[in-house]
Amino acid sequence: MPSLGRLHLITDTRPGRDPLSVLAAVLPLARTELVVQVRVADTATDRQAYDLARRVVTLTAQYGATCLVNDRLHVALAVGAAGGHVGADDLPVAAARQVLGPTAVLGVTAREPGTAVEAVTAGASYLGVGPCYATTTKTGLPPEIGTAGVQAVVKAVDVPVIAIGGVTAAAVPALRAAGAYGVAVVGALSAAADPARAAAELLRGLSC
């Protein structure tokens, strides 16, 4: 399995956002510390997901960064991504592992120790844990779990825990202190006036 970067950038394909320009700004700085999770809207076609993921794979390969595809594992396979990420409403973890194969990176969303342990047992390479804080990026999310919730999951599993949900550079030190291996962000980079500078601030916190 490829080594896992600590900064996970989830593509923001909402109207007015340009995920590829954000990625181009962040990649030269983050390089191997960056994992790009290609996530598209539910209304996007597989062709649209494929086209974006293919371009992300090409860009990340130039810097040794990792590309994963959220939810649509067939797209991950089609573009040669390093793996994928599944949530509660996607394929079961064991089935996702079967689709991707034994050596691919497989991220799984979890928010409490019980389901986290089940996910790891079924084949998860890492866990995306949250939402840590309030966020407007995605609707219909459960209540935020805070650093205490992250720490509870960290203590229950032996795979990297990636904190997600409302994460800002200011929150990174506390999340790292709670045991998070890294963080996943959307708005902290896609909405930044200077994505490269925002990434540098996040990476500083992650290096502590």
Side-chain angles (χ1 to χ4, degrees):
M1 186 187 81
S3 61
L4 193 68
R6 295 184 186 272
L7 177 58
H8 290 224
L9 167 59
I10 300 174
T11 57
D12 189 349
T13 58
R14 290 175 295 177
R17 308 287 187 175
D18 184 356
L20 292 173
S21 67
V22 172
L23 178 56
V26 171
L27 265 171
L29 181 73
R31 294 182 173 267
T32 57
E33 282 294 344
L34 187 66
V35 176
V36 183
Q37 295 184 32
V38 177
R39 185 171 76 187
V40 297
D42 291 340
T43 54
T45 65
D46 281 348
R47 181 57 180 266
Q48 290 171 321
Y50 172 83
D51 287 343
L52 175 59
R54 182 174 51 82
R55 296 176 73 180
V56 171
V57 164
T58 300
L59 285 170
T60 52
Q62 298 173 31
Y63 294 92
T66 300
C67 176
L68 308 176
V69 177
N70 283 26
D71 311 339
R72 307 189 194 206
L73 301 186
H74 57 301
V75 173
L77 293 173
V79 299
H85 186 103
V86 295
D89 296 328
D90 302 317
L91 280 179
V93 181
R97 172 54 71 195
Q98 186 174 10
V99 169
L100 291 175
T103 61
V105 178
L106 174 57
V108 179
T109 300
R111 59 178 279 104
E112 53 89 20
T115 54
V117 170
E118 290 174 2
V120 173
T121 301
S125 308
Y126 75 89
L127 299 175
V129 176
C132 299
Y133 309 109
T135 176
T136 57
T137 302
K138 197 173 181 181
T139 59
L141 293 173
E144 54 265 29
I145 61 172
T147 54
V150 171
Q151 188 173 52
V153 173
V154 168
K155 290 180 176 179
V157 298
D158 59 358
V159 300
V161 167
I162 306 298
I164 184 172
V167 174
T168 62
V172 171
L175 292 168
R176 288 283 284 146
Y181 174 83
V183 298
V185 298
V186 183
L189 289 176
S190 71
D194 186 343
R197 181 177 178 180
E201 293 174 352
L202 288 162
L203 288 166
R204 274 196 294 271
L206 290 168
S207 66
C208 298

